[in-house]
């Protein structure tokens, strides 16, 4: 086993609350084990541009509570090419960086998996995405904060909805996964939740609203942006045709869900996984994501984590719960 002497850390893809806590944990764990650590700015783009900065304990001071990522993040088409990855590898070797911790989602891990296999380069991934759509961890870094952001926002919307007897259609993030919509929808007491994994068509939605309690002062419908119904505006147009006298409003929460201070749960999860990633590299692990399942640290091959699963926590039990509580 080759001794790890310098670990590079980067964040890639969409930012998520808790990424800074993960960076902090990787840096401090590396220093604890007398390993140098190098920050890589703007993800894989930084690898190709050799945008490297040595980090120490002071580099990550006072960041655990900050949203976003101090290392920045960017999409990188060049890393999808063999030429781009070859340049990235050359830069790593010339800078004496002999292992990586990459923090991101499925796109990040797809690139890491290819790079590992091409160059036999040690890489551990940390699940940093608000969507919670990776196999190998109960929760991803940023998911808890994101759903609480939705809950806080919709609670405020509910106040206005009740004051004016309105029906609000709230669109949340989740292009490929409805987990944000599902949990936040239950948390805010939504009358209906539309997600990609469960086909709730316009007819069924209209039926629920027609057969629901007529004396409700407000109604909230949560729509995942990737739902096949077409998003909040399409759903809104359908409902306006069916209920022309209803006061229907639409609110798209958008990128507000990605920002903000991470919750305690996300800070602790990121910290624990960051340390686990460094210890895994020391132990010779590579080409895997560190996750937490049933409160235990587990390692899952990148090739398995990046396969979206249709029913990750989307079970008939959850959907029945939504139906029962919407009465």
């Amino acid at each position: 086993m080759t001794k790890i002497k310098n670990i590079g850390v980067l964040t890639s893809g969409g930012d998520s609350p808790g990424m800074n806590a993960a960076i902090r944990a990787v840096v401090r764990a590396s220093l604890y084990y007398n390993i140098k650590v190098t920050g890589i700015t703007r993800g894989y783009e930084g690898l190709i541009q050799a945008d490297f900065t040595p980090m120490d304990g002071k580099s990550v001071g006072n960041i655990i509570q900050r949203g976003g990522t101090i290392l920045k993040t960017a999409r990188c088409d060049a890393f999808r090419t063999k030429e781009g990855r070859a340049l990235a590898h050359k830069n790593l070797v010339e800078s004496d960086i002999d292992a990586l911790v990459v923090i991101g989602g499925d796109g990040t891990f797809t690139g890491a998996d290819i790079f590992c296999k091409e160059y036999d380069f040690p890489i551990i991934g940390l699940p940093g995405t608000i969507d919670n759509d990776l196999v190998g961890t109960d929760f991803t870094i940023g998911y808890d904060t994101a759903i609480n952001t939705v809950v806080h926002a919709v609670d405020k919307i509910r106040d206005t909805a009740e004051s004016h007897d309105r029906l609000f259609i709230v669109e949340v993030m989740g292009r490929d996964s409805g987990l944000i919509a599902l949990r936040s929808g239950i948390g805010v007491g939504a009358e209906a939740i539309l997600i990609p994994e469960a086909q709730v068509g316009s007819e069924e939605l209209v039926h629920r609203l027609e057969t629901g309690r007529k004396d409700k002062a407000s109604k909230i419908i949560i729509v995942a942006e990737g739902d096949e119904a077409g998003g909040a505006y399409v759903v809104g147009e359908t409902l306006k045709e069916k209920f022309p006298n209803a006061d229907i409003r639409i609110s798209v929460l958008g990128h507000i869900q990605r920002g903000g201070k991470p919750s305690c749960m996300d800070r602790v999860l990121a910290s624990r996984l960051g340390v686990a990633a460094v210890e895994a590299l020391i132990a010779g692990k590579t080409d895997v994501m560190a996750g937490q399942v049933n409160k235990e640290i587990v390692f899952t091959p990148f090739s398995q984590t990046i396969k979206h699963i249709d029913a990750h926590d989307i079970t008939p039990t959850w959907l029945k719960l939504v139906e029962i509580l919407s009465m």
Side-chain angles (χ1 to χ4, degrees):
M1 182 175 64
T2 303
K3 179 174 173 57
I4 302 294
K5 298 178 181 179
N6 189 351
I7 296 175
V9 58
L10 62 84
T11 52
S12 176
D15 63 306
S16 64
M19 279 185 165
N20 282 326
I23 295 167
R24 173 180 179 269
V26 170
V27 171
R28 296 199 169 174
S30 297
L31 299 176
Y32 178 86
Y33 288 108
N34 297 313
I35 298 172
K36 294 180 181 179
V37 59
T38 300
I40 300 164
T41 306
R42 292 175 290 110
Y44 292 135
E45 182 67 27
L47 281 184
I48 293 174
Q49 300 296 330
D51 197 348
F52 304 153
T53 304
M55 302 186 77
D56 57 20
K58 187 177 180 180
S59 302
V60 292
N62 199 33
I63 69 168
I64 193 171
Q65 79 281 7
R66 290 171 57 183
T69 163
I70 63 167
L71 291 178
K72 309 295 185 181
T73 182
R75 311 289 180 182
C76 182
D77 291 334
F79 196 75
R80 299 175 185 269
T81 68
K82 286 188 176 181
E83 294 78 10
R85 294 191 296 273
L87 180 55
H89 183 257
K90 177 176 176 289
N91 291 336
L92 288 169
V93 172
E94 290 181 349
S95 300
D96 295 322
I97 299 172
D98 44 26
L100 286 175
V101 174
V102 299
I103 307 167
D106 57 353
T108 302
F109 296 161
T110 298
D113 187 36
I114 295 171
F115 194 78
C116 274
K117 289 178 170 58
E118 281 183 338
Y119 294 100
D120 192 26
F121 197 89
I123 304 181
I124 301 293
L126 298 184
T129 169
I130 66 171
D131 290 328
N132 203 42
D133 58 353
L134 296 171
V135 179
T137 188
D138 289 335
F139 299 104
T140 56
I141 298 167
Y143 175 62
D144 184 67
T145 305
I147 58 177
N148 278 291
T149 296
V150 173
V151 167
H152 294 325
V154 177
D155 282 349
K156 292 177 172 62
I157 289 172
R158 176 79 77 175
D159 292 342
T160 294
E162 287 194 350
S163 298
H164 296 272
D165 291 325
R166 285 174 177 162
L167 186 158
F168 265 88
I169 303 166
V170 181
E171 182 177 296
V172 302
M173 281 186 161
R175 185 175 64 248
D176 300 310
S177 170
L179 289 170
I180 292 176
L182 179 67
R183 288 195 178 240
S184 63
I186 293 172
V188 301
E191 276 63 40
I193 303 171
L194 306 184
I195 55 178
E197 296 87 347
Q199 286 73 43
V200 178
S202 58
E203 291 185 6
E204 182 176 347
L205 176 59
V206 169
H207 176 72
R208 287 189 186 183
L209 293 174
E210 288 178 335
T211 58
R213 277 176 41 211
K214 299 297 188 294
D215 59 346
K216 280 191 174 183
S218 66
K219 292 183 175 66
I220 301 290
I221 297 173
I222 302 293
V223 182
E225 62 180 331
D227 182 71
E228 65 174 18
Y233 285 100
V234 175
V235 173
E237 290 301 318
T238 299
L239 295 184
K240 285 177 183 178
E241 290 179 6
K242 296 291 183 180
F243 305 102
N245 296 322
D247 192 354
I248 299 173
R249 301 300 170 93
I250 295 167
S251 181
V252 178
L253 298 187
H255 286 79
I256 189 176
Q257 296 155 86
R258 278 193 183 169
K261 295 182 177 181
S263 66
C264 180
M265 176 177 169
D266 275 328
R267 298 182 198 191
V268 173
L269 177 64
S271 299
R272 190 179 185 200
L273 294 182
V275 172
V278 173
E279 293 178 339
L281 286 171
I282 294 171
K285 292 184 182 295
T286 184
D287 205 13
V288 294
M289 181 196 79
Q292 179 176 287
V293 177
N294 295 327
K295 301 181 181 179
E296 299 294 329
I297 298 295
V298 300
F299 296 93
T300 305
F302 285 141
S303 60
Q304 295 180 23
T305 67
I306 58 182
K307 294 178 180 177
H308 289 293
I309 42 180
D310 294 334
H312 180 53
D313 213 21
I314 308 280
T315 65
T317 301
W318 283 101
L319 298 176
K320 185 177 181 181
L321 179 64
V322 173
E323 183 178 358
I324 291 172
L325 296 178
S326 66
M327 296 179 64

